[in-house]
Amino acid sequence: MVYDGSGTEPYEADIGINADSIEVIGDLSSATAKKYVDAEGKAVSPGFINILSWATESLFEDGRSFSNIYQGITLEVFGEGVSMGPRNEEMKKDRNNYNWTTLNEYLEYLTEQGISPNVASFVGATTLRIHEVGYNDRPATDQELQNMKDLVRLAMEEGALGIGSSLIYAPAFYASTEELIELNKVAAEYDGMYISHLRSEGNKLLESIDELITIAEQAGIRAQIYHLKAVGEQNWHKIDLAIAKIDSANNAGLEISADMYTYPAGATGLNAAMPPWVQEGGFNAWRNRLQDPEIRQRVLREMRNPTDDWENYFYSTGPDRMLLVGFRNDELKKYTGKTLIEVAAERGTSPAETVLDLVIEDRSRVETIYTFMSEENVRKKIRQPWMSFETDAASVAPEGKFLESNVHPRAYGTFSRLLGKYVRDEKVITLQEAIRRITTLPASKLKIQKRGALKEGYFADLVIFDPETIQDHATFSEPHQLSTGIIHVFVNGKQVLENEKHTGETPGRVVYGPGKK
């Protein structure tokens, strides 16, 4: 049964692939081929598009992309605020001595190493700011802003999809609305898109959506909200108001959309539990400040109190719902999979003090899962016709180095959870509508060519799965478990998954945005 990505009823047909493309869809019973794949009783769809991926470096570790290929993903999209280019000489020192400078040079270098999925990227507003302003809390000068705009122009002409921002994090937090409008005006010249982790997903969620709409309107650009959510129980009611704002903007002629992962918990670092002012200057400056007794007391006071001035995940989530999952320091890895309140009790310090101490001792932001959303809101979001989906995670595997840390189960299960739990079991939306949302919808928003649909002449990125058995298995306590039910996956005509076994093929390519010359 062919689910072509349009959202219409599926139909029965054969599909003929020649080289990297779909040559014919129809009755091929009398045709001959080098290889036949029997998909009788199964669903055939376009490859799934992961509109927010953090596989930027994990694909160097393992290009096979196990956790994502096993849930049908054939395109990874990077760039939530931070992108792998452009980089100046100072920035190159932070990235394992890789020598690329532009974003496109990184993408080409990555595919040259051999990867199974396709890749694409936004240029990160955070990266642009670091390139010119550094980690300082101040406005860009006129010259710095012009330099940033020139960098956007270069990135768009090389194939970036648009501009991505992540405004709760330092130093992105320091950028003004006006700065973002100016950068997006350049991206709009190339028909790019603006996509943003909002300045607030909690107490000032609605105001932050207003900011995104203002940027879209004044820059003349399509805009999308990364992982739309209402953080903290006191804000759960705002999801209805947020949806209404987006619908109103679209009715007024703008193009506003959103994406999500299919879980009531998010994941980021302990930096989201501390005020942005203490993080000015980069990680080392932040870590040093946390060791100053006077500054330390101020940070602790701010963490323990509600505020509208910054996104306080410590207060909105609570230490009993903060799960610590990623440490660099071997001596701290014993805390992996424990809640903050459990670790604090074990160490004999308050939860807030424990947050500061762990960042200092681990010399990292410490990867953390925050359970701060409502399951009812997850279903409400899934029902929205403009909602796409993402893992917001690295591409990992249940083996080797990846097992040294836990991950959010979304890394292994976002898409299969959508199709299993929410489509088959709970019937929140139909299967054909779900397929549209993870294929044609994001492809059309990103303005990428000849992908995201099953059509003759399109690239042969496709998935064959069993709608009756597709299932996620990753959990918060045992996340390193592959999804099942995806039987075959093709990328650019090459089979990367055959009978639920990875073939080792690495046909992934760079997918370019509309500005590519």
Side-chain angles (χ1 to χ4, degrees):
M1 298 304 295
V2 174
Y3 292 79
D4 62 12
S6 66
T8 57
E9 289 289 327
Y11 58 90
E12 195 170 292
D14 302 321
I15 299 176
I17 297 171
N18 186 16
D20 62 359
S21 299
I22 298 171
E23 183 160 308
V24 62
I25 301 176
D27 183 357
L28 299 177
S29 54
S30 61
T32 58
K34 292 181 180 177
K35 183 169 186 173
Y36 298 85
V37 175
D38 182 3
E40 187 172 359
K42 305 296 186 289
V44 185
S45 80
F48 305 157
I49 296 175
N50 182 11
I51 205 162
L52 171 50
S53 169
W54 283 106
T56 44
E57 294 182 80
S58 60
L59 284 172
F60 285 126
E61 181 71 24
D62 187 344
R64 297 172 299 172
S65 190
F66 262 61
S67 61
N68 286 349
I69 293 296
Y70 274 83
Q71 51 180 318
I73 293 167
T74 60
L75 173 59
E76 310 275 12
V77 181
F78 310 136
E80 187 198 1
V82 176
S83 57
M84 299 297 277
R87 303 190 305 162
N88 57 30
E89 292 307 310
E90 187 63 27
M91 295 166 76
K92 289 181 183 180
K93 297 176 184 177
D94 296 335
R95 291 286 181 181
N96 303 319
N97 297 316
Y98 294 130
N99 288 321
W100 66 78
T101 300
T102 71
L103 177 56
N104 186 55
E105 286 171 354
Y106 155 74
L107 292 169
E108 290 183 345
Y109 180 79
L110 179 63
T111 53
E112 285 167 6
Q113 308 311 300
I115 56 174
S116 294
N118 296 313
V119 290
S121 186
F122 290 87
V123 62
T126 306
T127 300
L128 296 168
R129 188 161 237 277
I130 294 170
H131 195 287
E132 293 301 314
V133 186
Y135 293 87
N136 301 313
D137 183 2
R138 64 169 176 82
T141 66
D142 289 347
Q143 186 59 57
E144 287 166 343
L145 182 57
Q146 184 57 53
N147 293 346
M148 290 162 71
K149 290 166 73 172
D150 291 343
L151 291 170
V152 174
R153 192 172 301 281
L154 174 62
M156 295 303 296
E157 290 178 354
E158 287 191 334
L161 301 168
I163 293 176
S165 69
S166 50
L167 301 177
I168 75 162
Y169 302 108
F173 180 86
Y174 311 140
S176 67
T177 306
E178 292 69 30
E179 177 179 305
L180 293 164
I181 290 168
E182 288 303 306
L183 296 178
N184 276 288
K185 283 179 179 177
V186 179
E189 293 175 25
Y190 298 89
D191 204 15
M193 186 170 84
Y194 175 55
I195 188 165
S196 179
H197 182 138
L198 298 174
R199 209 173 287 273
S200 171
E201 298 173 324
N203 292 353
K204 301 194 87 170
L205 169 64
L206 302 178
E207 294 88 340
S208 297
I209 293 175
D210 286 338
E211 180 186 35
L212 177 122
I213 291 171
T214 297
I215 292 167
E217 189 169 31
Q218 295 195 17
I221 197 166
R222 301 182 308 285
Q224 181 151 317
I225 299 168
Y226 275 131
H227 38 63
L228 176 66
K229 64 176 80 74
V231 168
E233 191 167 352
Q234 73 277 16
N235 294 309
W236 287 353
H237 69 282
K238 293 180 181 177
I239 202 68
D240 294 324
L241 299 170
I243 290 167
K245 272 189 182 292
I246 295 168
D247 286 339
S248 177
N250 286 326
N251 290 336
L254 296 177
E255 290 186 57
I256 309 296
S257 51
D259 50 67
M260 64 177 287
Y261 40 83
T262 49
Y263 299 84
T268 184
L270 291 177
N271 52 327
M274 288 187 231
W277 63 261
V278 77
Q279 301 174 51
E280 182 182 0
F283 180 81
N284 290 333
W286 169 31
R287 183 175 179 271
N288 289 338
R289 288 193 191 99
L290 296 181
Q291 297 173 77
D292 179 302
E294 189 174 329
I295 293 176
R296 185 181 177 91
Q297 288 308 309
R298 180 184 166 191
V299 171
L300 291 171
R301 280 196 306 273
E302 293 191 20
M303 288 171 63
R304 289 166 172 155
N305 288 286
T307 180
D308 290 344
D309 294 335
W310 58 282
E311 196 84 332
N312 187 347
Y313 279 9
F314 178 82
Y315 186 87
S316 62
T317 305
D320 58 326
R321 292 180 296 170
M322 293 170 62
L323 193 69
L324 304 172
V325 296
F327 295 94
R328 292 182 181 176
N329 183 340
D330 288 340
E331 294 180 8
L332 299 178
K333 287 183 178 178
K334 61 186 178 182
Y335 299 136
T336 300
K338 294 185 177 182
T339 65
L340 175 61
I341 204 162
E342 289 171 334
V343 174
E346 194 171 322
R347 291 167 65 99
T349 52
S350 74
E353 290 175 304
T354 303
V355 168
L356 274 60
D357 293 340
L358 290 176
V359 168
I360 293 167
E361 294 171 33
D362 200 55
R363 295 181 178 270
S364 86
R365 68 177 198 162
V366 182
E367 298 303 316
T368 306
I369 293 173
Y370 297 83
T371 302
F372 46 30
M373 287 179 277
S374 137
E375 181 65 37
E376 180 186 354
N377 282 353
V378 170
R379 295 185 182 89
K380 281 183 181 178
K381 292 184 294 181
I382 289 172
R383 292 189 186 101
Q384 303 313 310
W386 33 256
M387 185 66 69
S388 303
F389 295 85
E390 33 112 324
T391 65
D392 193 7
S395 177
V396 294
E399 60 185 50
K401 185 178 179 181
F402 295 118
L403 297 178
E404 293 179 7
S405 297
N406 279 3
V407 293
H408 192 300
R410 65 193 182 192
Y412 285 92
T414 292
F415 290 79
S416 44
R417 186 174 179 84
L418 171 68
L419 300 179
K421 175 179 171 64
Y422 293 108
V423 172
R424 180 190 62 234
D425 299 342
E426 298 186 8
K427 297 178 171 53
V428 177
I429 55 175
T430 65
L431 180 56
Q432 57 263 34
E433 173 63 6
I435 296 297
R436 182 186 75 85
R437 305 270 210 82
I438 55 181
T439 59
T440 302
L441 177 63
S444 65
K445 293 291 182 185
L446 298 172
K447 296 292 180 81
I448 56 178
Q449 301 299 310
K450 294 189 175 181
R451 296 187 192 273
L454 294 183
K455 292 183 179 180
E456 293 176 359
Y458 272 48
F459 290 104
D461 299 338
L462 52 88
V463 176
I464 301 170
F465 66 97
D466 187 341
E468 297 303 316
T469 64
I470 189 168
Q471 189 69 47
D472 64 303
H473 299 284
T475 64
F476 289 101
S477 58
E478 296 184 26
H480 288 288
Q481 300 187 74
L482 295 168
S483 291
T484 54
I486 300 285
I487 302 165
H488 306 285
V489 177
F490 290 81
V491 177
N492 299 312
K494 295 274 189 180
Q495 191 163 8
V496 297
L497 197 71
E498 183 172 12
N499 294 316
E500 297 196 65
K501 299 292 183 185
H502 203 296
T503 65
E505 291 280 356
T506 54
R509 299 177 185 173
V510 181
V511 173
Y512 297 108
K516 174 74 171 176
K517 291 186 175 179

